[in-house]
Amino acid sequence: MFEVVRLTLTLAAVTTVLLLLVATPLAWWLARSPSWWKEVVAAVTSLPLVLPPTVLGFYLLVALGPDSPLMAPLHVFGVRTLAFTFTGLVIGSIFYSMPFAVQPLRTAFEAVGREPMEAAATLRASPLDAFFTVAVPLARRGFLSAAVLVFAHTIGEFGVVLMIGGGVPGRTEVVSIRIYQLVEALQYGQAHALAAGLAAFAFISLLVLFLIDRRFSRLGA
């Protein structure tokens, strides 16, 4: 049981860090670009909100499988598939949790506005310097919300991780899959303990989000 919890927490932590790195420039572009194409990109990144997890998981399974053209460049390194691996779980989790990072960050960057960036430019700050010294601190509320949402959402994943990971013990078996397996085996006591733990974690995550929102609202951020 400890190994399952450890793997789940590791998956959530790795996914959160990588997704923030990926989502930050994407959300910045969505918040600042005048191009109408940005709404097309926004719609694509938001697809996991409406797609059944099994649909997304199926296409990721195909994309990361040994016959996928995307995997062909890795064949020379002896890697034929990323399905049923921890790396595959991370990739699947990044796609599945993408909107929970991009949307809070986009909203936060839009709230920053152009005036602070223009003021930084008049002080001869480069765009990169202005981004890290002005935009990021002003958007910290969005970063905190995105981190909490992604971490909590990854903890509770089921459909995608089942399709792409298969629940291999010690490699891809996370808490949600273990609960499903325990129910199938009619081991309701253990299933209840894990399910109650996830329910408590979900409540705490939402409480943290509300407290973050309340604190920043008081600060006027």
Side-chain angles (χ1 to χ4, degrees):
M1 193 68 69
F2 173 79
E3 179 64 21
V4 174
V5 174
R6 184 198 65 79
L7 183 65
T8 304
L9 293 175
T10 302
L11 174 63
V14 172
T15 299
T16 301
V17 172
L18 294 180
L19 191 47
L20 286 178
L21 292 174
V22 172
T24 297
L26 177 58
W28 179 251
W29 178 76
L30 290 173
R32 305 275 294 185
S33 175
S35 172
W36 67 271
W37 278 101
K38 71 178 183 180
E39 300 308 335
V40 176
V41 175
V44 171
T45 60
S46 298
L47 274 177
L49 292 174
V50 295
L51 274 180
T54 49
V55 172
L56 180 60
F58 169 73
Y59 284 113
L60 286 171
L61 180 63
V62 172
L64 300 179
D67 298 326
S68 169
L70 297 177
M71 292 300 301
L74 297 181
H75 290 177
V76 295
F77 300 103
V79 179
R80 296 196 56 80
T81 180
L82 291 177
F84 311 116
T85 67
F86 181 78
T87 301
L89 281 188
V90 171
I91 295 173
S93 298
I94 287 175
F95 277 99
Y96 189 47
S97 294
M98 181 72 73
F100 294 92
V102 172
Q103 291 187 6
L105 289 174
R106 179 183 181 180
T107 300
F109 286 143
E110 287 175 343
V112 170
R114 296 185 177 275
E115 291 78 7
M117 302 299 291
E118 291 172 353
T122 61
L123 297 174
R124 297 186 178 181
S126 68
L128 191 61
D129 287 337
F131 175 77
F132 283 107
T133 60
V134 177
V136 170
L138 291 176
R140 61 191 183 280
R141 180 181 189 175
F143 279 96
L144 289 173
S145 297
V148 173
L149 282 172
V150 170
F151 192 88
H153 191 246
T154 304
I155 291 287
E157 286 181 31
F158 176 71
V160 170
V161 294
L162 180 62
M163 293 290 288
I164 195 67
V168 181
R171 292 175 55 189
T172 61
E173 185 183 21
V174 295
V175 170
S176 58
I177 293 178
R178 173 59 69 88
I179 293 173
Y180 175 74
Q181 293 172 339
L182 289 172
V183 171
E184 277 196 320
L186 302 180
Q187 297 180 26
Y188 293 131
Q190 295 183 49
H192 172 67
L194 283 177
L198 279 186
F201 177 78
F203 171 77
I204 293 172
S205 299
L206 290 174
L207 181 60
V208 169
L209 276 177
F210 293 146
L211 291 175
I212 290 173
D213 186 72
R214 182 178 180 180
R215 174 177 175 80
F216 280 98
S217 294
R218 286 181 174 180
L219 295 175

